[in-house]
Amino acid sequence: CLKSHSDSIFINIFIKEIFRIIQDIQKQGTTILLIEQNAKVALQVSNRGYVLETGKVVLSDTGENLLKSDAVQKAYLGG
């Protein structure tokens, strides 16, 4: 399925808006369980992150530390 350029722009705007709303809710003190395929963006807005492999937690740390982790970069973020 080919997406048009305008579809891609709309999707990117939609994703940014969703994450902005998540951050607004978080700032109000509400805990959010976020399960997201875009790990990089999810970790940028997360206080805490968990890496699961075959249903088991193999890593947990702050979102910031997980983003900085060489192991996470190589295995999950294409780094």
Side-chain angles (χ1 to χ4, degrees), residues 42-57:
L43 289 172
Q44 288 172 351
V45 300
S46 297
N47 293 330
R48 191 108 192 117
Y50 300 88
V51 177
L52 302 174
E53 286 183 6
T54 61
K56 295 183 182 174
V57 176

Side-chain angles (χ1 to χ4, degrees), residues 15-16 18-20 22-23 34 36-46 67 77:
I15 290 169
K16 286 179 184 178
I18 291 294
F19 277 95
R20 187 196 62 74
I22 289 169
Q23 286 178 306
L34 177 64
E36 173 57 52
Q37 291 296 314
N38 188 336
K40 193 174 222 173
V41 175
L43 289 172
Q44 288 172 351
V45 300
S46 297
L67 279 172
L77 302 176

Side-chain angles (χ1 to χ4, degrees), residues 26 39-50 60-70 72-73 77:
Q26 182 185 37
K40 193 174 222 173
V41 175
L43 289 172
Q44 288 172 351
V45 300
S46 297
N47 293 330
R48 191 108 192 117
Y50 300 88
S60 68
D61 206 332
T62 65
E64 182 179 353
N65 285 344
L66 288 171
L67 279 172
K68 292 177 184 176
S69 164
D70 287 338
V72 172
Q73 285 286 328
L77 302 176

Side-chain angles (χ1 to χ4, degrees), residues 21-31:
I21 291 168
I22 289 169
Q23 286 178 306
D24 288 347
I25 293 168
Q26 182 185 37
K27 287 176 187 172
Q28 295 172 12
T30 301
T31 300

